[in-house]
Amino acid sequence: MLSAGGRVVIATRGCQLPPWLKMTRAGGAVVKAVAWAVPVLVDGGVRRGTDVFKALALGAKAVMVGRPVFYGLAARGEEAGARHVIEMLNAELELAMVLCGRRSVAEVTRGHVQTEGDRIRAML
């Protein structure tokens, strides 16, 4: 018998869609499908701290950041580039949390984001 310790949501399909839209469509559905039984990580589409906030609000336990860090590394090296990108993401996440009145990521909940599906259901 095989078991899984978690799920990774990779939001790479549909390059014409903005990253946050792909993430909200895929991430929330996966978290709902596994009924919070296993940790969900989001990979792909994370470009800003607000993307991290949205993923956490939709139930992700963490996000995996690749491309922005590689861009920073290529442009300015490890210290001035890659580390700066991580610090920027962290600062943007902290700002989003402050604007929502949250002190820690543990306080970020599903009620902090509204997806396209939420908007449609609200109109019915």
Side-chain angles (χ1 to χ4, degrees), residues 5 7 19 44 53 62 68 73 76 81 84 89 98 113 116:
R7 295 284 186 263
F53 184 88
L73 182 64
R76 300 185 67 201
H84 179 68
L89 287 169
V98 166
V113 294
E116 183 180 344

Side-chain angles (χ1 to χ4, degrees), residues 51-106:
D51 295 331
V52 176
F53 184 88
K54 291 171 199 170
L56 294 172
L58 289 169
K61 293 295 179 195
V63 298
M64 299 194 293
V65 182
R67 189 175 299 175
V69 175
F70 287 128
Y71 287 163
L73 182 64
R76 300 185 67 201
E78 182 181 343
E79 279 297 314
R83 188 176 304 257
H84 179 68
V85 169
I86 295 296
E87 290 169 354
M88 255 184 355
L89 287 169
N90 190 44
E92 291 170 357
L93 172 59
E94 287 178 355
L95 177 61
M97 290 184 344
V98 166
L99 292 173
C100 290
R102 299 296 167 242
R103 293 182 179 181
S104 74
V105 294

